[in-house]
Amino acid sequence: MATGDETFSYDHMKELKEFDNSNIGVKGLSESGITTIPVFFIQPPETLSDLKSSSTCTEIPLIDLSNVNSDLHRPKIVEQISEAARTWGFFQVINHGVPVLALDEIIVGIKAFHEQPIEVRGKQYVREVARGVMYASNNDLYRSKAAGWYDSLQVWMAPEPAKVEDIPAVCRREVVEWDMLAKKVATTCKGFSDTRLFMGHCYPYCPQPDLTVGIKSHTDYGLLTVLLQNQVHGLQVKHGDEWVNVKPLREGLIINIGDSLQILSNGEYKNVEHRVLANSSKESRISVVEFFQVDKRNESCSYGPLPELLSPEKPAIYRNFTMREFQENFYSKEIDSKSLVEKLKL
């Protein structure tokens, strides 16, 4: 006699491959009108229970950069940025020098890419993580316990930029322009731009948002991240024991500290867990992200706490790491929180 276990068989890897090989992404699933999500998107109980935790009305720090080039005002602005990096790891900037038109154009461009007909989008679907241009669902699809409800267009901008002609035509000009603008903002805030990775995320409508997430809780692996979002809510930042909703601000750019900068600052600046909830709105959530990191070409080059920050009273709390170790740590697992930071603690 067959038992329940024998009559129901679920092959996780087979389902993942069928989804990935369909080239339709999460957007295609959403557009198909499904009312239940595939099993591999359902998050474990510990993740789902945490989604129901309440968040306060606190907002991340807001910093006005309009006088950042003024000798009189710059020291105060620098201190505001440092304080936000120390206490929150996340902050939002306004009057950052990026024209509102450029902000609108990159959101429109990325939305247009993800809203192309499935047969057009599907031709560009490829899983090539470490170079060039990639359009796929979930960077860590085959490494994660459960998938998130999002698709991404990924373009390497430096130090080995993708061929411009490989960037989808529907958003090519906007991506190239955004890279230059985001680089200026990152340089103003913290001054890193050797390695740059552009990502245009789409979080389409999810029919069962209580069973999954957009992107699971994680910290960013690099030095610094610059993020622009449309007006669809979903981003949350962990502050203490609370999850704080980051309200979309039409002209604002969000800056956050990554794992590498926490290590280089010897723990002075904090990388902070953040996540995106699954989208219950019929309008897709669009976010444009640029990750900044030290030069990844020399895998044997060593990085660690900056010597000028160390003293007998403040010794190094992290050991040095190489880019080879950094990349092996990132690509060997699903996205997570602080794994590199914890691994390098002395």
Side-chain angles (χ1 to χ4, degrees):
M1 180 180 292
T3 66
D5 289 340
E6 291 169 334
T7 56
F8 177 78
S9 173
Y10 174 69
D11 188 329
H12 181 76
M13 186 56 67
K14 178 174 178 287
E15 294 290 322
L16 285 180
K17 287 181 177 178
E18 286 181 356
F19 165 69
D20 206 27
N21 292 336
S22 73
N23 295 351
I24 66 171
V26 169
K27 188 72 163 63
L29 289 178
S30 181
E31 290 170 342
S32 73
I34 62 170
T35 56
T36 58
I37 63 176
V39 173
F40 57 85
F41 285 101
I42 299 176
Q43 300 294 313
E46 60 270 20
T47 299
L48 296 178
S49 62
D50 188 46
L51 294 181
K52 295 178 174 60
S53 63
S54 62
S55 65
T56 65
C57 294
T58 307
E59 295 184 13
I60 64 174
L62 180 64
I63 300 173
D64 188 338
L65 297 181
S66 56
N67 293 313
V68 72
N69 293 319
S70 161
D71 291 340
L72 178 62
H73 298 285
R74 182 175 177 82
K76 180 181 178 182
I77 295 172
V78 170
E79 178 50 37
Q80 288 176 331
I81 292 173
S82 295
E83 177 66 14
R86 285 192 297 265
T87 58
W88 276 83
F90 258 81
F91 54 95
Q92 194 151 199
V93 296
I94 56 173
N95 297 318
H96 37 62
V98 179
V100 175
L101 179 61
L103 300 178
D104 291 342
E105 284 182 343
I106 187 61
I107 289 290
V108 169
I110 294 304
K111 185 176 182 181
F113 169 80
H114 287 287
E115 290 187 346
Q116 295 175 107
I118 288 179
E119 57 270 21
V120 177
R121 273 196 333 260
K123 291 177 181 178
Q124 299 167 312
Y125 194 98
V126 62
R127 193 165 293 281
E128 182 61 70
V129 177
R131 64 174 184 265
V133 178
M134 180 184 97
Y135 161 56
S137 184
N138 286 254
N139 182 292
D140 61 345
L141 182 67
Y142 292 105
R143 307 190 303 271
S144 63
K145 299 181 183 70
W149 198 258
Y150 76 104
D151 299 328
S152 301
L153 172 66
Q154 171 180 299
V155 184
W156 282 101
M157 307 306 298
E160 299 167 343
K163 295 178 181 177
V164 173
E165 59 268 27
D166 288 343
I167 303 173
V170 70
C171 59
R172 183 179 299 152
R173 178 184 64 82
E174 292 84 353
V175 169
V176 172
E177 181 181 11
W178 178 252
D179 174 58
M180 293 186 294
L181 295 171
K183 178 181 175 181
K184 289 180 181 178
V185 174
T187 302
T188 297
C189 291
K190 288 292 172 186
F192 304 106
S193 61
D194 288 341
T195 294
R196 303 192 306 282
L197 174 64
F198 170 95
M199 299 194 82
H201 296 311
C202 175
Y203 305 86
Y205 166 72
C206 179
Q208 293 181 299
D210 293 337
L211 292 183
T212 189
V213 293
I215 292 183
K216 64 178 73 73
S217 174
H218 66 285
T219 54
D220 290 348
Y221 67 93
L223 289 165
L224 196 74
T225 303
V226 177
L227 181 146
L228 171 68
Q229 56 183 344
N230 69 351
Q231 296 302 300
V232 179
H233 291 240
L235 176 62
Q236 292 186 328
V237 173
K238 197 163 193 179
H239 186 59
D241 295 326
E242 295 275 348
W243 283 102
V244 177
N245 294 311
V246 180
K247 297 178 182 178
L249 184 61
R250 173 142 159 52
E251 298 179 19
L253 290 175
I254 296 164
I255 313 292
N256 68 276
I257 306 303
D259 294 352
S260 296
L261 188 50
Q262 176 164 329
I263 294 166
L264 265 65
S265 70
N266 202 37
E268 184 74 11
Y269 298 146
K270 309 298 183 187
N271 62 347
V272 175
E273 289 180 63
H274 52 288
R275 66 189 182 189
V276 177
L277 302 180
N279 184 15
S280 61
S281 168
K282 291 295 184 179
E283 180 183 355
S284 293
R285 171 182 164 82
I286 301 294
S287 67
V288 176
V289 189
E290 188 117 4
F291 297 99
F292 295 83
Q293 177 60 307
V294 294
D295 196 330
K296 69 173 187 174
R297 286 173 294 188
N298 187 348
E299 290 190 340
S300 61
C301 189
S302 180
Y303 300 94
L306 297 175
E308 57 266 34
L309 300 179
L310 306 180
S311 68
E313 295 75 29
K314 289 187 176 181
I317 60 175
Y318 303 106
R319 65 173 175 82
N320 286 7
F321 65 95
T322 63
M323 284 307 297
R324 181 181 293 109
E325 182 177 15
F326 172 89
Q327 297 197 66
E328 286 175 352
N329 182 75
F330 180 74
Y331 291 117
S332 65
K333 56 175 181 49
E334 61 182 332
I335 61 171
D336 61 9
S337 299
K338 300 178 181 283
S339 65
L340 181 67
V341 170
E342 295 301 323
K343 183 178 180 180
L344 299 178
K345 266 187 175 177
L346 292 173

